Amino acid sequence: MRLATIRYDGREQAGIVTERGVVTIAAINRNKGTAWHTEMYDLICAEEIPGLTRWYNGGGHEELAQMETVPFDQVVYGPLYRNPPRIFGIGLNYKDHAGDLGEGAPVGFPGSFYKSASCIAGPGDEICIPALEEAKKTTGEAELGIIMGKKCRFIEEEDWQDYIVGYTTILDMTEESILRLNPRYLTLVKGFDTFLTFGPQLVTPDEVKDVSKLEVQTVHNGKVHAANTVDNMTHSPSRLVSLVSHMQGWLPGDVLSTGTPRAVHIQEGDTLECRIFGPDGFAMEPLVNPVIDLKLRK
């Protein structure tokens, strides 16, 4: 099953993606007399998405065909939700990307950082290169995102998928020229407004047969800049989810951004995309954002 948050009827609300468009959870409630939460974050925190998935796979998909649908030409996606408790980023998780920066991939523990919810922008929103004169090289990175679905601590690697609610596409930005002045600036250079976009869709785990075979692509102005598969990560998703659970635990709605195959320098007028593909024709809906430079807009 695939879910999204769309801007509809004056607010951002969750819905299920169908072949014809998006059926809002509010529309499902009206048709079925159910009381599912109608916003994505609330659905996650109430642990309702697994139940929705069971309904969808058990005949709900056919029922949706009879319900009011927002057609794709009227769909405007928002970010999946606005206020995740934590956004946990992983750096240099593909060996090739570490080599680009003249560094070795961390092996004992992953390179990591936090981002704040204030960074978040939605699919199609503008990524803003900072107005600071020191901001001379902003880079963008396509990443596989994992959305946590339960509060948990001390989980084992083999159980990790029991605690997630789905996968998504992520674009993570860095102000690299400032970072090169001092590595202690990492939080600052990751934290500008619009420096994380995620969505447009949340793909439930039942659709992803083998996460290790997913290919993540950083796409710049329509051309693939870099691509790699999850099985080439230094720290696998199962390792990351388990490790963090032993260090500080997870909360429902936490976002784990698992690292990029390679970053690309972005400039005014560019388009940046995250595309993720898998075996047997599997594909996530691409995440696409235009780029503007605030220094040129003063």
Side-chain angles (χ1 to χ4, degrees), residues 1-292:
M1 185 178 68
R2 301 186 181 210
L3 298 107
T5 291
I6 63 172
R7 296 164 180 153
Y8 181 70
D9 199 22
R11 64 187 182 94
E12 292 184 344
Q13 53 182 304
I16 296 177
V17 181
T18 73
E19 293 84 355
R20 298 182 298 121
V22 178
V23 180
T24 66
I25 303 299
I28 296 171
N29 288 339
R30 286 195 300 271
N31 276 270
K32 293 184 60 62
T34 49
W36 304 106
H37 286 84
T38 59
E39 295 186 9
M40 189 74 72
Y41 182 65
D42 294 336
L43 280 169
I44 294 169
C45 290
E47 299 184 21
E48 291 180 346
I49 290 177
L52 268 174
T53 304
R54 288 190 293 272
W55 167 75
Y56 178 89
N57 291 332
H61 176 262
E62 290 73 20
E63 291 185 52
L64 290 172
Q66 309 304 317
M67 297 184 192
E68 175 190 357
T69 304
V70 182
F72 283 119
D73 62 2
Q74 297 178 27
V75 166
V76 178
Y77 289 112
L80 292 179
Y81 44 102
R82 294 277 178 182
N83 291 294
R86 294 173 296 189
I87 304 167
F88 198 90
I90 304 299
L92 307 180
N93 203 22
Y94 294 89
K95 296 181 180 68
D96 291 349
H97 182 215
D100 290 342
L101 298 176
E103 299 186 39
V107 290
F109 291 92
S112 59
F113 54 89
Y114 278 120
K115 301 192 82 147
S116 67
S118 64
C119 298
I120 290 175
D125 291 341
E126 292 171 334
I127 295 169
C128 299
I129 296 172
L132 292 174
E133 291 302 322
E134 295 88 345
K136 301 182 185 302
K137 184 181 180 182
T138 297
T139 58
E141 309 168 353
E143 309 199 9
L144 170 68
I146 297 172
I147 309 300
M148 300 304 300
K150 295 180 180 179
K151 184 176 181 178
C152 58
R153 291 182 64 85
F154 307 118
I155 65 175
E156 301 306 318
E157 283 197 47
E158 59 266 27
D159 300 324
W160 74 283
Q161 287 183 309
D162 295 339
Y163 297 91
I164 71 171
V165 75
Y167 304 96
T168 193
T169 44
I170 285 179
L171 290 170
D172 173 35
M173 272 55 70
T174 308
E175 211 330 284
E176 191 175 302
S177 53
I178 296 176
L179 178 62
R180 288 185 180 275
L181 299 175
N182 191 319
R184 292 177 182 248
Y185 295 160
L186 181 60
T187 298
L188 184 154
V189 303
K190 288 284 190 180
F192 289 97
D193 291 343
T194 74
F195 265 33
L196 186 129
T197 66
F198 80 135
Q201 296 180 2
L202 185 155
V203 180
T204 53
D206 58 294
E207 282 211 22
V208 181
K209 304 307 180 187
D210 186 352
V211 69
S212 72
K213 300 305 180 186
L214 295 180
E215 178 177 284
V216 181
Q217 298 181 353
T218 300
V219 179
H220 184 229
N221 295 332
K223 295 182 179 180
V224 177
H225 173 75
N228 213 328
T229 52
V230 170
D231 56 7
N232 286 319
M233 289 180 175
T234 301
H235 301 277
S236 67
S238 61
R239 155 79 172 160
L240 293 170
V241 171
S242 175
L243 177 64
V244 174
S245 81
H246 282 79
M247 297 174 68
Q248 61 193 50
W250 290 107
L251 298 171
D254 279 349
V255 178
L256 171 63
S257 194
T258 58
T260 186
R262 191 173 301 149
V264 64
H265 182 194
I266 54 175
Q267 302 179 77
E268 168 84 22
D270 284 352
T271 300
L272 185 64
E273 296 181 54
C274 175
R275 299 177 187 168
I276 298 180
F277 299 96
D280 302 320
F282 174 87
M284 293 190 187
E285 182 73 13
L287 172 62
V288 185
N289 292 93
V291 180
I292 65 169

